[in-house]
Each structure stands twice: as structure tokens, then as C-alpha cells.
């Protein structure tokens, strides 16, 4: 029986019948494109054993041997895809498959990760011992590891889901082994994955956990791996995965629980959910009895959090499929000395500048442009370093810089006065523009804007700070712009109440009832801006332009025309 993508055999034994279910893959012959090489530690210039070498989004891969050597057949892979080489404790290495093939006998150097070692001060706590997972020791339902059955499928990976309501430390990872028959130690790797959309996501281990399993290590049908010294703390959903790294002659049968859900994948292929049976992996943990119960916390805040961060995937897909932000017929670029600003113009009449939020682009106004361009000359701008606009500096970003960019654009277009509709960060830029260039502004509409960082929900602000710390530890140049954008929201704007008092232009202050901008902060802004109008949209979140587009468009037209 084909179940996912693993050499997975489930056997049912009764007095009268025998049923075997085994996963099979069909092979396709092709002229081999085999690449061989060695993986080294960059710092120590020593080979790294048991490194995972595979093609992203595919099931092709191999494991380096104990000396870091590997060979991989890339004849059946998509040459536009990417080779990924990784092992716990080191930064991942990626390269286009086509370039990798052309690199004869490559030497791959992996950079050791900077470990996130933080001083943890623990108050005296009471811990309680628990065991979670699949404990069955049956020999009737088995997860069968048999390298000789089909070698090309041997190196897949299986995982089991866990959920810790309170902060817990993993002491032991247990594997219930029904039968062990091997001519040599069986080399296994353990991984602990975070959860995303119900599937395993990122390996959270900072150190490689590899074991050479022998029969005498299995006591009473269980192999117990002591991981206490790895200091692994978990809370919420997570997965424990196992992978066999080196071929052996024989077979290892792991007990499995019938109709429990397990997860399997082959190399960097997608994880698949298997409802037929799950391997008998269980863990011994110490649970912080006095710690906050994550489940209880979430139950109290679930409704609010779901409204603060709703599922906007539908809107993202729709905006991505729209013409806006990539309309070559109307798109133009203004070149500045240190940046390029991409913008699109629609309609005729009084100019209305649309400014998107942090990390966004013109396309996010896909529900506004068609309607507003019937009444105004709509100029939609990709802010510096976002969308199709470029920033040639590495300096910190600021809303004042964005406001100056906007002034350069309207000067370029020969406009004396404009209206601005700014959403989120775009609203912050609009406020800065009104303070510096009030003579060039007619009316301002801000949606989900804030005058200073403390106006943002604290949980979200803390999330930004944590993400910056993680990205800085990774030290990946590809993430430098993301770090700048996050820092912008953490540190800015810095508009005082006194400055808000100085805004003389008419301002329409808008937010959702469940916005990530605190309601009191939005009300404060409207109060301090003398010539302002306030509207809180019922049942809406920070994504007012998506969620209540028709009502918003009508309100914008009424405000600007009356």
C-alpha cells in the first residue's frame, strides 16, 4: 500500500490472517548526473559527518558519510531548483542545482551557528514528571526500516506531534523497538521541529543529536535516549522526528499505533500526514507545574488574537493576482541619488497619493484603486526599499525619509497640493509629511497609524523585537532589509502630542475595532489633531482596506469631496 513517501510497512497479525502494507516508489531510469564532494566546518576545516544534502521541494537527497563525503544523483531534478545542505549547529548552504552540477568535486564549507545562549534566571518551581506520546510495544503493527527493501527510499524521515500546554523540559526520547536485526550499529538522527499550519516546520535544535543504535541499547523493547544535557525546553505544538542515516543489512521494526497520526517526508519534499499508524515515539518530560498554562492563556485571548491577526491569505492571493504593482502600461520609476521610487498612476482629477504598510506594496490597494480612480488621479507608490522601489543605502529607515521621498515625487510630477491616504506605516508617513510639508497637503486619511511605538499592541511589538534578535543572530545578508523594516516599527514614529496639535490640515483618523493599534491610542490621535474626524470600523481588524473595502472607499470619497 502506498502511504506517503517512506519505506513504511504496517503488519496486522491475527490467528487467521496476515496483511502487509508497504510503501513503494516507481523508479525512472535516466542518464546519471552524479555530483560528489565533501562538507567541511568553515571554522575548524574538518569534515562534518551525516550532513543532509537534498533538493528543495523535491524528494532527491543523500546523507554524507562519517568523513563528510557524499554523492548525489541529480539527473531527475529540476535544474531551476535549489540544493540545500544542512545539519544542526551550522548555517544552511544553498546553491542552484545547475551551478552545483557544474561545480566539479565541490568542497562545501558550513558556517557554525552562533548559539543563542541566554542567562536564564529561574525562580524556585515545582516540576512534575510526565510521559507523552505513543507507548505501544505491539509487534502486530510495525514501522519497518529495511534498507534493502528499496534503497532509494531508505533515507526518509518520520515524525510524531506533541503539545505541551505548560513550559516543559525534555529529559528522554524513547523509541519502542519490536525487532532489531542488523550487521552493524544503526545510525539514527533525532530532530525537534516547531509547528506551522499543522505540519513540522523548523528544527529547533542547536546541536546535532545522532545515535549509533545497537541491540544491547534496547532495554525491555525500548531505546531510551537521555537528552537532559541538551537543555531542550518546549511549549505549544512541536514534533519529534527520526531519520536513519546509513544503510545496514537487516531490519529494524518499530512498534506503531494503529489509526494514530504520524508524519513522513523524503528529504526536502513536503511533509505528509499519515492517519493509518504512527511510530511509537514517546518522551519523558519535566513540566513546570507553576508555569502559565499556554492553553488557558490562549483560551482567554484566542478571540482577541484571531481578530488582531485574522487569516488574510485570501486577500494576499487576490492582490497578487491583480495587475496593480506590476502594471507596465502605467508604471514609472523616479530615480533619486540614493533610491529608485516605483509608482503607478490611474484616473484623472485631484491627486490622491496611496501609501501602503510595512513590507507591502501598491498591490495591497487592489480594492481601492478601481473605485477611487473614478473620482481622483490616484498615484500609488511603492515606498523606498519595498515593492519594486529600491534603496541604495544601508542606513536606518525612517518615516521622515519616506516623507521626503514623497515630496520628491510630487515635485517631479509638478503637483502643488495632494491628498494622502496612508495605511499603517503609510499613515505614519502621512503624519510626518503633514508636519514637514503642510503647504503641499490638502487632506490626510490615516488607517491604523500610530504616533509612537507604544501605540502598537505590546504582544506584537515584542514579536517584532524577538524576530529582530533571531535575524541578527542568523547574520544572513538576505535578511538585512527585513531587519531594517522591523526596527523602523520598533523605534518609530516619534510624534508627540504637541506635534499632533500642530497639524492643521483636515485628517480622517481610521482604525478597526480589533486593530493592532490600541483603541485608546487612535482616539488620542484624533483628539490631539484639532481638525480631525474619527471612525472605528466595527468587527474590522488592522486590515480595513481588505475587510470593509466598499464602506471605506465611500467614506474616503465623501471626506475628500465634502
Amino acid at each position: 500500500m502506498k502511504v506517503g513517501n517512506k519505506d513504511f510497512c504496517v503488519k496486522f497479525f491475527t490467528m487467521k490472517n496476515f496483511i502487509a502494507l508497504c510503501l513503494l516508489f516507481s523508479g525512472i531510469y535516466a542518464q546519471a548526473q552524479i555530483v560528489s564532494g565533501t562538507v567541511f566546518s568553515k571554522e575548524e576545516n574538518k569534515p562534518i559527518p551525516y550532513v543532509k544534502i537534498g533538493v528543495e521541494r523535491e524528494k532527491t537527497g543523500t546523507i554524507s558519510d562519517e568523513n563528510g563525503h557524499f554523492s548525489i544523483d541529480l539527473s531527475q531534478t529540476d535544474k531551476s531548483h535549489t540544493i540545500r545542505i544542512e545539519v544542526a549547529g551550522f548555517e544552511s548552504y544553498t546553491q542552484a542545482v545547475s551551478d552545483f552540477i557544474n561545480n566539479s568535486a565541490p568542497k562545501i564549507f558550513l558556517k557554525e551557528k552562533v548559539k543563542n545562549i541566554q542567562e536564564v534566571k529561574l525562580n524556585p518551581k515545582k516540576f512534575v514528571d510526565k510521559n507523552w506520546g505513543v507507548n505501544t510495544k505491539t509487534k502486530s503493527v510495525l514501522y519497518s526500516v529495511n534498507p534493502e527493501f528499496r534503497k532509494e527510499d531508505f533515507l526518509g524521515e518520520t515524525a510524531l506531534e506533541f503539545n505541551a500546554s505548560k513550559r516543559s523540559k525534555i529529559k528522554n526520547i524513547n523509541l519502542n523497538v519490536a525487532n532489531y536485526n542488523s550487521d552493524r550499529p544503526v545510525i539514527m538522527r533525532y530532530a525537534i521541529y516547531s509547528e506551522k499550519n499543522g505540519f513540522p516546520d523548523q528544527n529547533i535544535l542547536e546541536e546535532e543529536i545522532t545515535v549509533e543504535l545497537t541491540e544491547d541499547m534496547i532495554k525491555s523493547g525500548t531505546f531510551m535516549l537521555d537528552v537532559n544535557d541538551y537543555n531542550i525546553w518546549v511549549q505549544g505544538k512541536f514534533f519529534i522526528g527520526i531519520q536513519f542515516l546509513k544503510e545496514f543489512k537487516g531490519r529494524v521494526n518499530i512498534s506503531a499505533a494503529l489509526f494514530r497520526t504520524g508524519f513522513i517526508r523524503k528529504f526536502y519534499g513536503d511533509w505528509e500526514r499519515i492517519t493509518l499508524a504512527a511510530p511509537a515515539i514517546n518522551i519523558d518530560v519535566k513540566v513546570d507545574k507553576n508555569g502559565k498554562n499556554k492553553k488557558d492563556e490562549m483560551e482567554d485571548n484566542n478571540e482577541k488574537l484571531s481578530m488582531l491577526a485574522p487569516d488574510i491569505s485570501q486577500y494576499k492571493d487576490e492582490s497578487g493576482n491583480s495587475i496593480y504593482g506590476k502594471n507596465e502600461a502605467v508604471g514609472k520609476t523616479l530615480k533619486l541619488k540614493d533610491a529608485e521610487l516605483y509608482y503607478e498612476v490611474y484616473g484623472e482629477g485631484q491627486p490622491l497619493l496611496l501609501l501602503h504598510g510595512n513590507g507591502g506594496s501598491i498591490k495591497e490597494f487592489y480594492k481601492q484603486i478601481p473605485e477611487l480612480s473614478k473620482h481622483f488621479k490616484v498615484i500609488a507608490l511603492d515606498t523606498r526599499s519595498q515593492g519594486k522601489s529600491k534603496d541604495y543605502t544601508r542606513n536606518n529607515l525612517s518615516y521622515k525619509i519616506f516623507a521626503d521621498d514623497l515630496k520628491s515625487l510630487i515635485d517631479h510630477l509638478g503637483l502643488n497640493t495632494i491628498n494622502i491616504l496612508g495605511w499603517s506605516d503609510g499613515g505614519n508617513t502621512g503624519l510626518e509629511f503633514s508636519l514637514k510639508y503642510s503647504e503641499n497637503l490638502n487632506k490626510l486619511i490615516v488607517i491604523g497609524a500610530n504616533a509612537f511605538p507604544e501605540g502598537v499592541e505590546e504582544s506584537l511589538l515584542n514579536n517584532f523585537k524577538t524576530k529582530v534578535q533571531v535575524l541578527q543572530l542568523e547574520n544572513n545578508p538576505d535578511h538585512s532589509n527585513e531587519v531594517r523594516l522591523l526596527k523602523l516599527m520598533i523605534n518609530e514614529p516619534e510624534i508627540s502630542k504637541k506635534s499632533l496639535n500642530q497639524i492643521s490640515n483636515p485628517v480622517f483618523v481610521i482604525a478597526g475595532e480589533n486593530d493592532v493599534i490600541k483603541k485608546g491610542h487612535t482616539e488620542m490621535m484624533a483628539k490631539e489633531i484639532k481638525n480631525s474626524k474619527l471612525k472605528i470600523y466595527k468587527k474590522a481588524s488592522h486590515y480595513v482596506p481588505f475587510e470593509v473595502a466598499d464602506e471605506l472607499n465611500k467614506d474616503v470619497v465623501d471626506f475628500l469631496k465634502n
Side-chain angles (χ1 to χ4, degrees), residues 123-186:
N123 296 322
K125 292 180 172 71
K126 292 182 179 179
F127 289 90
V128 59
D129 292 324
K130 295 284 187 179
N131 178 271
W132 299 330
V134 176
N135 288 283
T136 180
K137 292 188 177 181
T138 179
K139 295 186 178 182
S140 299
V141 184
L142 302 173
Y143 177 93
S144 183
V145 182
N146 182 3
E148 295 182 332
F149 179 70
R150 195 162 180 83
K151 291 184 178 181
E152 59 267 37
D153 298 327
F154 165 65
L155 298 174
E157 187 175 6
T158 186
L160 186 69
E161 180 180 351
F162 295 82
N163 193 355
S165 62
K166 294 185 178 181
R167 188 169 180 262
S168 305
K169 182 180 181 181
I170 301 177
K171 298 193 304 176
N172 304 306
I173 302 176
N174 305 310
L175 189 64
N176 292 349
V177 182
N179 306 103
Y180 180 98
N181 179 19
S182 175
D183 65 331
R184 69 197 70 179
V186 175

